[in-house]
Amino acid sequence: HPLARAARPFLYWLFHSCRLFGYAAWGPVLIKLKPKLALGAVAAYVAVMHQKWWQQLCHQALGLGASRRHRIVNEVAEQIKPEKKYLWCLHPHSVLMDGWHSLIAADPAAFEGPTGPTGIGRPIKLCFAPIIKRVPVHQEMYRERCGSADAKSIVECFKTDVDPALAPGGFSESVFANSAEKDVEYAYLKGRSGFIRLAIQNKVDIVPTYTFRASRMYYNPSVLRGARARFSQQYYAGLVMPVGWLGTAMPLTDKTTTVVFPPFPTSQYTEDQVWEAHAAYLDHLKHWFDHYKERFGMR
């Protein structure tokens, strides 16, 4: 529709600005200048935020502003058995799961029905920081299929028809996402075995996905990033300073590809082999990253 096309540039900016919590900057200003209006707006939002019609309307509207350059490639669908349960691991975290969020924004049915996001072929539930399921734009996209990344929540998910998905690198990894870094891609995983242990305990395999070039969507200063990474993970808040096109929240590039890697057989290991499985998983992740990197723009 011509009106939809005309509105897309504004919706593109609005989507990325709100996705990266841009409203946190002007919210306090509105509260100071128009406290009654601000209070009314918050009350109205709280009243409708979990209504299905509101979530679908927001998803469709913001989806008009999501770039269609993001894509997903799944060449291993036949290896993912419909009768089995899996733990999906999303790499890299990037600033805020930027490639994944853009894919989901453009797919209003991503978290409805039995097939999940386009290209995945099965329903998944995102297990992120607890706050994500309660903030604007994110909760409209993920809806009831967004939960916490603690062990109890993930184990409960294994008992349902929905697979849990998490980002093992966490907020620590987000600190290392930087468009200025052209020669190295960081995976903040060496000391992290919790996701491997969970998979072994529940006898499920892991399906890794990798979003190529997601780390190049924003410039993120590298100053004190080691200290920032440790703080970010301890306090569940990414100390990132993303800078996009012309200093806005709009990304420097939209050309990303999320690739589904072959499942990793954690179900074949025992609990006393957690670190052996962890090392093998890192090799598996790097092998398939190297396999695809030139094809998807990361020579």
Side-chain angles (χ1 to χ4, degrees):
H1 192 281
L3 288 177
R5 287 196 297 270
R8 282 198 69 182
F10 170 74
L11 291 171
Y12 179 77
W13 166 81
L14 182 66
F15 165 62
H16 285 290
S17 178
C18 292
R19 187 179 68 80
L20 295 178
F21 312 118
Y23 46 79
W26 49 262
V29 176
L30 181 61
I31 291 172
K32 183 172 180 60
L33 296 178
K34 299 285 186 179
K36 290 183 179 179
L37 178 62
L39 183 61
V42 171
Y45 179 72
V46 170
V48 301
M49 63 183 293
H50 293 304
Q51 299 295 319
K52 189 171 183 179
W53 65 267
W54 168 260
Q55 294 172 333
Q56 290 177 333
L57 179 65
C58 288
H59 199 157
Q60 290 171 355
L62 293 174
L64 292 174
S67 173
R68 270 47 178 180
R69 295 185 184 93
H70 302 278
R71 61 193 182 116
I72 189 164
V73 172
N74 184 359
E75 298 176 338
V76 298
E78 73 285 350
Q79 298 183 37
I80 301 171
K81 306 303 181 184
E83 69 276 8
K84 294 182 65 174
K85 295 291 294 180
Y86 294 93
L87 174 62
W88 293 70
C89 288
L90 317 181
H91 306 278
H93 188 284
S94 57
V95 170
L96 200 61
M97 300 305 301
D98 307 301
W100 262 92
H101 202 185
S102 297
L103 281 168
I104 291 164
D107 183 6
F111 286 85
E112 293 182 352
T115 58
T118 300
I120 297 299
R122 56 196 292 144
I124 61 172
K125 181 176 182 177
L126 300 178
C127 299
F128 291 164
I131 190 64
I132 294 297
K133 64 181 178 181
R134 305 186 187 280
V135 295
V137 176
H138 293 268
Q139 74 91 15
E140 278 85 3
M141 300 291 175
Y142 307 143
R143 306 171 201 175
E144 70 277 4
R145 290 185 184 173
C146 183
S148 301
D150 61 280
K152 181 179 178 181
S153 299
I154 293 172
V155 171
E156 285 299 315
C157 201
F158 285 136
K159 300 175 183 177
T160 71
D161 295 331
V162 180
D163 288 342
L166 54 81
F171 281 126
S172 295
E173 196 169 82
S174 69
V175 174
F176 289 83
N178 185 358
S179 64
E181 184 68 79
K182 303 295 186 185
D183 299 322
V184 179
E185 187 83 348
Y186 293 92
Y188 205 93
L189 299 172
K190 278 192 175 178
R192 301 189 170 187
S193 62
F195 69 104
I196 298 288
R197 187 181 303 277
L198 269 175
I200 292 174
Q201 288 174 340
N202 291 276
K203 295 180 172 54
V204 300
D205 293 338
I206 293 175
V207 179
T209 72
Y210 206 97
T211 302
F212 289 86
R213 294 174 55 88
S215 56
R216 299 182 183 179
M217 290 177 68
Y218 294 96
Y219 172 71
N220 179 25
S222 60
V223 60
L224 296 175
R225 63 184 176 186
R228 286 162 51 207
R230 291 188 290 274
F231 178 94
S232 297
Q233 195 59 27
Q234 183 173 353
Y235 295 102
Y236 304 102
L239 281 186
V240 294
M241 297 167 278
V243 180
W245 184 65
L246 297 179
T248 69
M250 294 184 286
L252 300 171
T253 180
D254 284 317
K255 192 176 180 181
T256 71
T257 306
T258 297
V259 182
V260 180
F261 290 174
F264 176 77
T266 29
S267 60
Q268 297 178 11
Y269 292 84
T270 60
E271 283 194 61
D272 59 354
Q273 296 176 304
V274 168
W275 287 107
E276 180 183 338
H278 182 271
Y281 179 79
L282 297 187
D283 289 342
H284 181 84
L285 185 67
K286 186 177 186 303
H287 169 80
W288 289 103
F289 172 83
D290 289 339
H291 177 80
Y292 283 110
K293 64 184 180 183
E294 291 193 17
R295 178 177 165 189
F296 296 117
M298 298 190 74
R299 294 185 176 87

